[in-house]
Amino acid sequence: MKSLEEILAFNEKFVENKDYEAFITDKFPDKRMVILSCMDTRLVELLPKAMNIRNGDVKIIKTAGAVVSHPFGSVMRSIMVAIYELKADEVYVIGHHDCGMSAVSVDKMVEKMKERNVSPEIFSTLEHSGIDIEAWLRGFKDVSESVQNSVEVIKNHPLMPGDVNVHGLVIDPATGKLDVVVDGSKNK
């Protein structure tokens, strides 16, 4: 059975059994927080459990490496919506040890793209359009430094209100232990 078919079969029973009732909440985060975390599969359930977060408590944004790569991209837009429209008043950037973004080889990824039939002309077109594929795909060497960089982008954004604390943490994906990189309440 294909993934979509499995999902739809499960979903039919989920709705029929009213299993959704355990998750009913509204759009406003009860703990008034927005979290930017990595999309790593190990964090799907571990991160909320490690932070004592339940459905309805926070807004969660997931990206590769918990990186804010552009100050006016969709990640920052989502953070702004969480703050200005959904009553979040704290931001947490949470990276993790053993992150795939720390091992990204742009050359190898481009080769994989070509193996999957992305033509060399596409890369040429991107380059001539001013898109630096190397910079866009590049990962990071140090997770704490990466978290700190994302915190700085958020904290220093011209539309970020000064009363919003922006914290940076690193989680161990094996144990759930959180280490503070930036305590946003001390940097006022």
Side-chain angles (χ1 to χ4, degrees), residues 28-144:
F28 300 102
D30 293 336
K31 292 190 177 183
R32 299 179 61 122
M33 299 175 356
V34 57
I35 295 172
L36 170 61
S37 79
C38 184
M39 64 184 191
D40 191 286
T41 57
R42 296 170 290 180
L43 304 182
V44 172
E45 290 188 53
L46 178 67
L47 181 64
K49 296 279 191 227
M51 294 181 71
N52 192 32
I53 292 170
R54 296 177 15 182
N55 196 56
D57 282 346
V58 302
K59 295 294 181 185
I60 298 180
I61 303 163
K62 293 199 169 260
T63 67
V67 172
V68 179
S69 58
H70 192 285
F72 288 93
S74 62
V75 173
M76 275 308 303
R77 181 181 59 228
S78 296
I79 291 170
M80 292 298 162
V81 168
I83 291 168
Y84 286 106
E85 295 295 319
L86 302 172
K87 303 178 184 176
D89 57 18
E90 281 191 291
V91 179
Y92 287 79
V93 177
I94 305 176
H96 66 93
H97 297 292
D98 188 34
C99 183
M101 285 299 287
S102 67
V104 167
S105 164
V106 174
D107 292 337
K108 288 180 183 175
M109 190 182 307
V110 168
E111 281 307 311
K112 290 175 185 176
M113 290 175 181
K114 290 176 180 175
E115 288 169 10
R116 294 184 73 171
N117 299 319
V118 175
S119 73
E121 291 81 30
I122 296 292
F123 295 101
S124 179
T125 300
L126 291 173
E127 184 180 329
H128 286 62
S129 299
I131 295 170
D132 182 350
I133 195 86
E134 172 87 19
W136 184 62
L137 293 174
R138 184 179 316 126
F140 52 79
K141 299 275 187 247
D142 181 273
V143 66
S144 294

Side-chain angles (χ1 to χ4, degrees), residues 3-14:
S3 293
L4 179 59
E5 293 167 354
E6 290 176 10
I7 289 168
L8 293 176
F10 176 87
N11 181 257
E12 187 176 337
K13 298 269 189 255
F14 180 85

